[in-house]
Amino acid sequence: MEDNNLIEIRNSYDIIIVGTGVAGLFAALSISPKYKILMISKDSIKNSDSYLAQGGICTLKEPTDFDSFLEDTLRAGRYENNEETVRVMIENSPMIMKRLIEYGVLFDLNQDGTFEYTREGAHSTYRILHHKDVTGKEITNKLLNNVRERDNITLCEYTKMLDLIIEDNACHGIVLERNGKAKVVYSKEVVLATGGIGGLFAHSTNFRHITGDSFALALRHNIELENINYIQIHPTTLYEENVNRKFLISESVRGEGAILLNKAGQRFVNELLPRDVVTEEIRKQMEIDGRPYVMLSIKHMPKDEIMRRFPNIYRHCLEVGYDISKEDIPVTPAQHYLMGGIMADTYGRTSVKNLFAVGETACNGVHGANRLASNSLLESLVFSERAGWIITEEIDGIDLVQTDIDLEAYSEPDKWNEDNKRLILNEIKRRDEDFYDKWCNK
């Protein structure tokens, strides 16, 4: 399968998938290979936030944990979750793990060959599978390898979605930009898997090019959005000055016993509380201390265990001057994840016909007001697979519609992008001015 920047993009495909994170990749793999699929990535194929996920992926370890898993997710989401959607996610998790293993994903094992589970904030037990501290990288790479083997999938990087083609409340393709030129590409169905909105924030763990394009288009086309102001601020990113993307210090570090310390070296919060609670306590402590960070200590853990369990975090911190086996590190909150998004059902269907949203782009209610740690990869995979199923089931009954599109409307891309950014931020402010003033208006 070709994926170089010279590949010719045809005028039409059966399905277009926008985004190459785990949601987009798994959706492509879940669609029958008899259909022609175009997958596009705004940046390098691997520069998706899925690739950055450190901690792991939740799963239903055993049937007796179902109620506890459900309650942990609902409690973290302040009981604003859609319980039916949460149940679908948990019920499907063992099948998803089986599928990942079939695709070649390697999870860490104990010496006896059983899976090594960890826990993170707001989890009542150990139910998170992981691959060292680069679980997202492992899953994304293995899914991408499988996508590359599919002759029906055309994969193009540095290709940006400019607009959706919508007529009579049905989606018929997209307008994209590649090599500085706008092009219309028609399809029977479109899947949006463009991630979140981190690129709009001064401090974020997200890649800078992830700027919420799908949400701006939703606002332009009156596609239903839900809880777009439900934005998660991750409590612990490495404090570095003049760095565009904040380096995440995984929740699993605190899950393994790391503690948060104030300026006086005192512990000031239960580190395993939900992320939003820990984040707010850190914000308050930073104000008390008069500095833009607090300290995180994992010195209790033996160095060889730190290097085995968190090799990427250990290596990065060492590169910037901190040996986490010997010294505390400065951490600060940063935008991390969007719980809201384009309203979708449990098959990824949106308020527009033939248009699907999966992964962080979608809001199906599974996370409520605050995502439980390590539910993001699981949620992306469960519902993107279900989108693939329903697309395969219904696509033969859909006609390919081609309408005339005036490309002159996209002749000023910088203005288009700036208008998109303003649309999203204004909508966040309209829904939650307090959050906007605290985190967006910086």
Side-chain angles (χ1 to χ4, degrees), residues 222-239:
N222 295 315
I223 301 166
E224 290 192 43
L225 290 173
E226 187 169 12
N227 298 336
I228 194 69
N229 57 301
Y230 281 10
I231 300 166
Q232 189 173 76
I233 307 297
H234 197 287
T236 52
T237 68
L238 184 64
Y239 177 76

Side-chain angles (χ1 to χ4, degrees), residues 58-76 79 90 117-128 251 255 270-274 372-375:
C58 296
T59 188
L60 182 62
K61 186 166 62 174
E62 52 196 13
T64 55
D65 185 40
F66 188 97
D67 289 343
S68 177
F69 192 169
L70 175 66
E71 176 59 23
D72 288 350
T73 301
L74 296 177
R75 187 188 302 114
Y79 298 98
I90 297 173
Y117 295 92
T118 188
R119 68 180 291 198
E120 297 181 2
H123 284 272
S124 58
T125 188
Y126 289 73
R127 63 166 71 91
I128 301 169
E251 190 118 3
N270 176 356
E271 294 79 7
L272 295 182
L273 290 170
L372 180 67
S374 286
N375 265 349

Side-chain angles (χ1 to χ4, degrees), residues 171-172 187-189 354 356 391 394-400:
C171 188
H172 305 300
S187 65
K188 293 183 175 182
E189 303 197 271
N354 311 332
F356 294 75
I391 287 169
E394 70 181 19
I395 193 168
D396 287 340
I398 298 172
D399 294 327
L400 184 70

Side-chain angles (χ1 to χ4, degrees), residues 10 14-15 22 58 60 63 78 175 220 249 293 315 331 343 346 355 379 381 386 392 405 415:
R10 294 163 31 186
D14 294 311
I15 302 112
V22 295
C58 296
L60 182 62
R78 301 188 203 128
V175 179
R220 288 179 182 269
I249 304 298
Y293 58 85
R315 183 170 55 250
V331 294
M343 191 168 71
T346 60
L355 180 67
E379 182 259 337
L381 295 167
R386 289 166 66 86
T392 299
I405 303 295
K415 183 179 183 302

Side-chain angles (χ1 to χ4, degrees), residues 7-114:
I7 192 169
E8 180 85 24
I9 294 181
R10 294 163 31 186
N11 292 327
S12 66
Y13 293 82
D14 294 311
I15 302 112
I16 297 172
I17 299 176
V18 187
T20 56
V22 295
L25 294 169
F26 211 58
L29 291 169
S30 302
I31 295 170
S32 169
K34 71 179 183 178
Y35 298 111
K36 296 295 183 184
I37 300 173
L38 171 65
M39 291 192 73
I40 65 171
S41 175
K42 188 178 179 181
D43 201 87
S44 168
I45 288 169
K46 290 187 176 181
N47 281 355
S48 69
D49 283 346
S50 300
Y51 205 80
L52 302 174
Q54 295 176 346
I57 180 170
C58 296
T59 188
L60 182 62
K61 186 166 62 174
E62 52 196 13
T64 55
D65 185 40
F66 188 97
D67 289 343
S68 177
F69 192 169
L70 175 66
E71 176 59 23
D72 288 350
T73 301
L74 296 177
R75 187 188 302 114
R78 301 188 203 128
Y79 298 98
E80 292 188 34
N81 322 62
N82 181 324
E83 186 173 329
E84 176 197 354
T85 308
V86 179
R87 288 181 178 275
V88 169
M89 181 186 73
I90 297 173
E91 288 166 357
N92 282 273
S93 63
M95 180 179 63
I96 292 296
M97 299 311 122
K98 181 175 182 293
R99 193 91 74 242
L100 290 178
I101 292 168
E102 290 171 351
Y103 283 135
V105 173
L106 300 175
F107 292 116
D108 291 342
L109 304 175
N110 295 308
Q111 289 185 348
D112 62 1
T114 58

Side-chain angles (χ1 to χ4, degrees), residues 298-343:
I298 195 169
K299 292 181 297 187
H300 72 281
M301 184 180 282
K303 182 175 180 179
D304 58 346
E305 182 66 11
I306 291 175
M307 295 179 68
R308 183 193 73 82
R309 184 66 183 84
F310 306 115
N312 186 50
I313 294 173
Y314 178 82
R315 183 170 55 250
H316 181 88
C317 290
L318 201 61
E319 287 173 357
V320 298
Y322 301 104
D323 184 342
I324 62 175
S325 69
K326 299 178 180 178
E327 55 192 324
D328 305 336
I329 57 172
V331 294
T332 191
Q335 189 280 335
H336 182 57
Y337 190 85
L338 174 67
M339 280 76 66
I342 295 177
M343 191 168 71

Side-chain angles (χ1 to χ4, degrees), residues 98-351:
K98 181 175 182 293
R99 193 91 74 242
L100 290 178
I101 292 168
E102 290 171 351
Y103 283 135
V105 173
L106 300 175
F107 292 116
D108 291 342
L109 304 175
N110 295 308
Q111 289 185 348
D112 62 1
T114 58
F115 286 121
E116 180 185 62
Y117 295 92
T118 188
R119 68 180 291 198
E120 297 181 2
H123 284 272
S124 58
T125 188
Y126 289 73
R127 63 166 71 91
I128 301 169
L129 291 173
H130 51 85
H131 180 93
K132 299 181 171 60
D133 58 350
V134 287
T135 308
K137 178 180 179 180
E138 169 69 7
I139 293 175
T140 306
N141 277 339
K142 294 300 170 59
L143 294 181
L144 183 57
N145 290 343
N146 282 271
V147 164
R148 291 182 190 276
E149 294 175 0
R150 295 281 185 96
D151 292 334
N152 66 309
I153 302 173
T154 300
L155 187 59
C156 291
E157 56 188 4
Y158 301 106
T159 304
K160 180 182 178 180
M161 173 182 63
L162 290 175
D163 205 355
L164 294 164
I165 302 170
I166 296 177
E167 192 173 87
D168 297 328
N169 201 45
C171 188
H172 305 300
I174 68 171
V175 179
L176 58 78
E177 179 187 38
R178 192 157 187 254
N179 299 326
K181 295 180 181 179
K183 179 182 176 66
V184 177
V185 183
Y186 300 99
S187 65
K188 293 183 175 182
E189 303 197 271
V190 172
V191 180
L192 299 176
T194 55
I197 58 175
L200 302 181
F201 286 73
H203 303 291
S204 175
T205 61
N206 296 186
F207 283 109
R208 300 309 299 167
H209 66 274
I210 298 175
T211 52
D213 300 347
S214 293
F215 312 125
L217 296 183
L219 290 165
R220 288 179 182 269
H221 292 286
N222 295 315
I223 301 166
E224 290 192 43
L225 290 173
E226 187 169 12
N227 298 336
I228 194 69
N229 57 301
Y230 281 10
I231 300 166
Q232 189 173 76
I233 307 297
H234 197 287
T236 52
T237 68
L238 184 64
Y239 177 76
E240 300 175 82
E241 294 184 359
N242 304 317
V243 174
N244 281 333
R245 183 177 66 77
K246 295 296 184 183
F247 181 79
L248 183 71
I249 304 298
S250 171
E251 190 118 3
S252 58
V253 176
R254 284 178 282 126
E256 296 293 342
I259 57 174
L260 288 162
L261 305 172
N262 63 17
K263 192 174 183 177
Q266 300 166 327
R267 186 182 180 205
F268 61 90
V269 67
N270 176 356
E271 294 79 7
L272 295 182
L273 290 170
R275 286 179 177 174
D276 59 330
V277 179
V278 177
T279 295
E280 185 60 21
E281 290 303 312
I282 291 175
R283 191 186 68 80
K284 291 176 182 176
Q285 191 62 52
M286 290 191 305
E287 289 184 356
I288 294 170
D289 291 345
R291 59 184 189 179
Y293 58 85
V294 295
M295 304 304 290
L296 182 72
S297 177
I298 195 169
K299 292 181 297 187
H300 72 281
M301 184 180 282
K303 182 175 180 179
D304 58 346
E305 182 66 11
I306 291 175
M307 295 179 68
R308 183 193 73 82
R309 184 66 183 84
F310 306 115
N312 186 50
I313 294 173
Y314 178 82
R315 183 170 55 250
H316 181 88
C317 290
L318 201 61
E319 287 173 357
V320 298
Y322 301 104
D323 184 342
I324 62 175
S325 69
K326 299 178 180 178
E327 55 192 324
D328 305 336
I329 57 172
V331 294
T332 191
Q335 189 280 335
H336 182 57
Y337 190 85
L338 174 67
M339 280 76 66
I342 295 177
M343 191 168 71
D345 67 10
T346 60
Y347 290 95
R349 290 176 293 209
T350 71
S351 61

